[in-house]
Amino acid sequence: MKQKSLLLLAILGFSLLSGCSTMGVDAWEKDLLAKPEMALDEQPLTDALDDHIYFSKEASSGGRAYAGGGCGCN
Amino acid sequence: MKKNLLLKSALATATMTLIAGAAHAEEEQDRTAPASKEQTIGDWKFDAAFLFYSESDSRVSAIEPVFNANKRLDEDEYLNLKLTVDSLTGASPSGAVASDQPLTFTRPSGNASYTVNANEYPLDDTFKDTRAALAANWTFPVSDMTKAGLGANISKEYDYLSASINGNISYDFNNRNSTLFAGLSYAFDSIDPVGGAPIAFGRMQPVGDPQNKLSDTQDKDTLDLLLGITQVIDRESLFQFNYSYSMSDGYHNDPYKVLSVLDDQGNYFDDGIPVANVLFESRPDERTKHGLFGRYKRYVGGDILDVSYRYMTDDWEIDSHTVDFKYRFALDNGDYWQPHVRYYTQTQADFYQPYLRQDQPLPQFASSDYRLAEYDAITVGLEYGMKTAAGNQWRFSLEMYNQTPTEPEKYGALQQQTLLPDWNAVMLRVNYSF
């Protein structure tokens, strides 16, 4: 049941987003978004270190990137 | 006591680092902020990071150096190589409950034992491991609007080997204001626990006696799917939305975790065997997880707001919510301060049990791993970033993590004990990009 409602929510999320095709800016207005510190993967090493810590200490992992794994972390 | 000392020394180190950073910033106040180094075709770009992680009460300590090399092969084509080493020492909760009597446990090897004092939370101090991981990723353009990526990872530690491959594709549309992403990852893990993988619910045996363990290697397959969209909202902001699916099949037990068997008075049930009455845990051999993740990032007159929320649910009945908040305050000289707050909360797994009772039938699955219990966790941190005159970047960060579990139901003698104590960790990180 929960999985069904989650799937519905995901579909709703994506369809809302596709409604966003009117959003956005022209190429010459992307100066601020093009700054390296505005990139979503600005700090990949920090993100990976954090993901590894939380993967080892919490039951949930992933979401932002792959759920990861690959260790018998205590 | 020890915990306070540790926190104090970590704080002192971090303060010194930050003061040094501030002094450096002052010195170079009048210099204009150097631009980030442009990575031209054929250029390598390097990132190094070092993490020091330490838990309270002499639990786990880790040092983790990472080195990353990225080569720009062509206009939109990159090769990325990353090496991570992870060195751990310390003690980890065994899953057993504390008692008003000293408890003796056999070490995983079956060759030695250790004793936990009366009224002390049982930690297994056998724990020592070094892990090395190598990751390679190649991203390349497929067409004007489409990019793809292929990657492979391998991670090896004493008792665990993991290998994975992944592939992804992303498509820009709507004037490059929208990007759709789809990625798939497959991992194969091979597990050779010290002393062998315990038989589910096998009774811990004394040193010298045959242990309830299997000699063959255990394995696990994991398939991950990630679907996402990134959307530019306006000149200053964008958001990201991901759906993730993960399915794993195979050995999910923690081979070093046990459950106490208690009598109707809340004491260890005496079955005449001279080591604590504990059984090795038993988890399902499958797990399916779903996740929704949303993130919003905004440029605020030089500062940057970065917030995200994640909801995860799985068929072990663990639901979790994570909220993450970062705000980067830009300084005039190009340096920055970035406070960070993260809140996490999870429900317990349906088979989580802090202990077993002799007078009740054995369930199909049970684990007393604190990570499968119900708890809240909070991370608070501060990062300082600065650029050198050559355009290289330093980042220093200090974070504190605190986990507060919900204490499970207790009875009889157990009421004198804390089954799930709060714990803290300090994380100190240094990054250098050049």
Side-chain angles (χ1 to χ4, degrees), chain A residues 2-3 6-7 9-14 17-18 20-33 35-50 52-74, chain B residues 47 53 55 64 82 86 92 127 131 155 157 160 162 167 174-177 183-184 224 229-236 238-239 241-242 287 289-290 292-293 295 297 299 304 310-313 318-320 328 342 344 346 370-371 375 379 383 395 401 403 423 427 429 431:
Chain A
K2 197 165 66 185
Q3 293 195 359
L6 191 77
L7 189 69
L9 202 65
I11 292 169
L12 183 75
F14 277 101
L17 293 176
S18 56
C20 296
S21 55
T22 51
M23 274 186 195
V25 294
D26 287 314
W28 58 88
E29 294 174 305
K30 286 193 178 164
D31 52 336
L32 300 176
L33 298 174
K35 285 177 179 284
E37 57 267 34
M38 275 302 285
L40 289 174
D41 58 351
E42 186 226 349
Q43 289 205 39
L45 262 48
T46 300
D47 289 346
L49 285 170
D50 281 354
H52 183 63
I53 291 170
Y54 296 126
F55 168 82
S56 310
K57 302 293 158 187
E58 298 177 345
S60 296
S61 61
R64 187 184 48 73
Y66 297 121
C71 70
C73 314
N74 282 56
Chain B
D47 290 275
Y53 170 92
E55 292 177 5
E64 193 166 339
K82 185 169 79 162
D86 196 359
S92 187
F127 185 45
R131 182 178 73 98
S155 166
E157 59 201 288
Y160 209 102
S162 175
N174 180 23
N175 242 343
R176 289 195 197 273
N177 283 299
L184 203 61
D224 277 307
I229 182 162
T230 307
Q231 173 68 45
V232 170
I233 303 169
D234 54 29
R235 189 166 163 242
E236 278 112 17
L238 52 89
F239 70 78
F241 177 78
N242 286 350
R287 187 177 182 188
K289 302 194 269 191
H290 299 268
L292 295 176
F293 171 82
R295 182 174 174 191
K297 199 162 177 176
Y299 188 85
I304 293 169
R310 179 185 70 170
Y311 169 66
M312 303 227 49
T313 183
I318 298 171
D319 291 348
S320 75
R328 177 175 157 137
R342 175 185 185 271
Y344 174 84
Q346 75 173 43
Y370 70 98
R371 294 167 295 187
Y375 63 82
T379 309
E383 178 175 289
R395 300 173 208 264
Y401 178 74
Q403 210 176 83
W423 62 276
M427 298 171 256
R429 202 185 57 237
N431 287 52

Side-chain angles (χ1 to χ4, degrees), chain B residues 194-420:
Chain B
V194 176
I199 294 167
F201 291 136
R203 165 77 162 94
M204 181 180 276
Q205 296 297 318
V207 175
D209 285 10
Q211 305 292 314
N212 275 318
K213 296 196 172 173
L214 307 164
S215 55
D216 48 340
T217 299
Q218 306 296 313
D219 50 55
K220 182 169 87 174
D221 299 285
T222 310
L223 187 71
D224 277 307
L225 171 72
L226 191 64
L227 299 174
I229 182 162
T230 307
Q231 173 68 45
V232 170
I233 303 169
D234 54 29
R235 189 166 163 242
E236 278 112 17
S237 62
L238 52 89
F239 70 78
Q240 180 187 20
F241 177 78
N242 286 350
Y243 163 75
S244 59
Y245 172 83
S246 173
M247 192 182 68
S248 49
D249 185 16
Y251 188 77
H252 285 74
N253 288 348
D254 183 322
Y256 309 119
K257 296 268 189 266
V258 294
L259 288 120
S260 307
V261 181
L262 306 179
D263 62 17
D264 56 1
Q265 304 297 310
N267 293 309
Y268 274 76
F269 179 78
D270 186 4
D271 60 357
I273 297 175
V275 282
N277 192 346
V278 293
L279 307 186
F280 293 105
E281 67 163 39
S282 166
R283 300 186 191 191
D285 55 10
E286 274 182 1
R287 187 177 182 188
T288 305
K289 302 194 269 191
H290 299 268
L292 295 176
F293 171 82
R295 182 174 174 191
Y296 176 74
K297 199 162 177 176
R298 180 169 193 90
Y299 188 85
V300 191
D303 295 348
I304 293 169
L305 168 73
D306 190 348
V307 284
S308 69
Y309 166 75
R310 179 185 70 170
Y311 169 66
M312 303 227 49
T313 183
D314 65 40
D315 62 353
W316 288 4
E317 301 301 327
I318 298 171
D319 291 348
S320 75
H321 301 272
T322 312
V323 180
D324 195 279
F325 173 90
K326 283 180 183 147
Y327 194 89
R328 177 175 157 137
F329 291 99
L331 302 177
D332 292 341
N333 61 354
D335 295 0
Y336 68 87
W337 285 103
Q338 182 174 268
H340 173 214
V341 179
R342 175 185 185 271
Y343 173 74
Y344 174 84
T345 182
Q346 75 173 43
T347 60
Q348 66 178 43
D350 54 357
F351 56 86
Y352 171 78
Q353 264 185 254
Y355 48 82
L356 296 166
R357 286 183 63 152
Q358 177 66 24
D359 56 5
Q360 285 174 6
L362 215 50
Q364 188 185 6
F365 303 113
S367 169
S368 59
D369 189 336
Y370 70 98
R371 294 167 295 187
L372 301 177
E374 180 179 280
Y375 63 82
D376 298 340
I378 191 149
T379 309
V380 179
L382 188 60
E383 178 175 289
Y384 186 80
M386 59 191 198
K387 281 204 178 106
T388 65
N392 300 332
Q393 171 112 45
W394 281 101
R395 300 173 208 264
F396 304 94
S397 106
L398 175 71
E399 304 212 306
M400 302 285 191
Y401 178 74
N402 174 261
Q403 210 176 83
T404 318
T406 307
E407 183 70 355
E409 214 174 290
K410 295 182 280 195
Y411 67 101
L414 216 50
Q415 281 163 317
Q416 313 303 316
Q417 310 295 344
T418 304
L419 303 188
L420 290 173

Side-chain angles (χ1 to χ4, degrees), chain B residues 21-277:
Chain B
H24 169 94
E26 222 162 83
E27 241 170 57
E28 308 200 11
Q29 193 74 53
D30 53 359
R31 141 180 87 84
T32 49
S36 289
K37 279 203 289 193
E38 187 73 28
Q39 189 182 5
T40 51
I41 293 170
D43 268 4
W44 284 95
K45 195 175 166 298
F46 303 101
D47 290 275
F50 180 84
L51 169 76
F52 168 72
Y53 170 92
S54 181
E55 292 177 5
S56 53
D57 302 320
S58 308
R59 280 165 72 160
V60 176
S61 278
I63 49 171
E64 193 166 339
V66 188
F67 188 77
N68 193 81
N70 185 288
K71 187 176 187 178
R72 186 170 183 182
L73 302 170
D74 209 336
E75 186 63 28
D76 274 325
E77 189 178 355
Y78 296 87
L79 176 69
N80 198 80
L81 301 169
K82 185 169 79 162
L83 175 70
T84 307
V85 178
D86 196 359
S87 177
L88 301 130
T89 52
S92 187
S94 68
V97 299
S99 162
D100 58 5
Q101 302 295 316
L103 298 166
T104 301
F105 298 94
T106 305
R107 292 197 187 279
S109 65
N111 300 327
S113 65
Y114 63 96
T115 301
V116 173
N117 294 333
N119 302 311
E120 218 170 74
Y121 181 56
L123 298 173
D124 178 357
D125 62 359
T126 316
F127 185 45
K128 197 174 165 109
D129 209 348
T130 300
R131 182 178 73 98
L134 191 66
N137 276 80
W138 173 45
T139 40
F140 54 94
V142 175
S143 71
D144 191 30
M145 292 294 177
T146 312
K147 271 191 291 193
L150 289 172
N153 301 277
I154 188 153
S155 166
K156 172 72 185 137
E157 59 201 288
Y158 182 70
D159 56 355
Y160 209 102
L161 170 74
S162 175
S164 72
I165 46 167
N166 62 74
N168 66 68
I169 191 151
S170 64
Y171 171 67
D172 291 337
F173 61 105
N174 180 23
N175 242 343
R176 289 195 197 273
N177 283 299
S178 311
T179 305
L180 279 174
F181 173 95
L184 203 61
S185 159
Y186 169 76
F188 175 77
D189 294 3
S190 165
I191 308 127
D192 275 303
V194 176
I199 294 167
F201 291 136
R203 165 77 162 94
M204 181 180 276
Q205 296 297 318
V207 175
D209 285 10
Q211 305 292 314
N212 275 318
K213 296 196 172 173
L214 307 164
S215 55
D216 48 340
T217 299
Q218 306 296 313
D219 50 55
K220 182 169 87 174
D221 299 285
T222 310
L223 187 71
D224 277 307
L225 171 72
L226 191 64
L227 299 174
I229 182 162
T230 307
Q231 173 68 45
V232 170
I233 303 169
D234 54 29
R235 189 166 163 242
E236 278 112 17
S237 62
L238 52 89
F239 70 78
Q240 180 187 20
F241 177 78
N242 286 350
Y243 163 75
S244 59
Y245 172 83
S246 173
M247 192 182 68
S248 49
D249 185 16
Y251 188 77
H252 285 74
N253 288 348
D254 183 322
Y256 309 119
K257 296 268 189 266
V258 294
L259 288 120
S260 307
V261 181
L262 306 179
D263 62 17
D264 56 1
Q265 304 297 310
N267 293 309
Y268 274 76
F269 179 78
D270 186 4
D271 60 357
I273 297 175
V275 282
N277 192 346

